[in-house]
Amino acid sequence: MVNFARIETGIVVELLTAESDLSTIFHPALDWREVDTSVDIGWCLTDTGFEAPPPPSVMPQVHPTLPQLQAELTMLVARFEALIAG
């Protein structure tokens, strides 16, 4: 069995294991490349081979302050009271 990766705009978008060359099965416009088992979806095709994508950047979590929460609560209470008064 041979492992293949389908490439779109330099990125692995699909993996397939087959017994033979995929050029006889799929349309020739599809870019299938033989790969080893370490390559995964999302990997990048470079001039030297396949590379794992960089890890996602971690955005710092921003928590609301107590005054912000109090202001939001005041607004919600006012909306609730207006809804009830109808």
Side-chain angles (χ1 to χ4, degrees):
M1 298 297 266
V2 181
N3 298 310
F4 294 92
R6 186 167 63 86
I7 312 302
E8 283 186 13
T9 61
I11 306 293
V12 175
V13 294
E14 187 174 3
L15 297 170
L16 184 67
T17 301
E19 294 182 7
S20 63
D21 183 14
L22 296 181
S23 64
T24 60
I25 301 171
F26 293 103
H27 192 278
L30 297 176
D31 185 7
W32 287 98
R33 310 277 178 110
E34 189 172 331
V35 296
D36 61 42
T37 56
S38 67
V39 174
D40 204 354
I41 291 175
W43 282 42
C44 306
L45 176 62
T46 67
D47 293 335
T48 59
F50 289 92
E51 293 181 3
S57 61
V58 178
M59 298 292 292
Q61 258 189 330
V62 178
H63 299 287
T65 64
L66 182 57
Q68 289 171 327
L69 290 172
Q70 288 171 328
E72 186 174 349
L73 180 59
T74 301
M75 179 197 64
L76 290 171
V77 167
R79 288 174 60 190
F80 179 73
E81 290 172 345
L83 182 65
I84 291 176

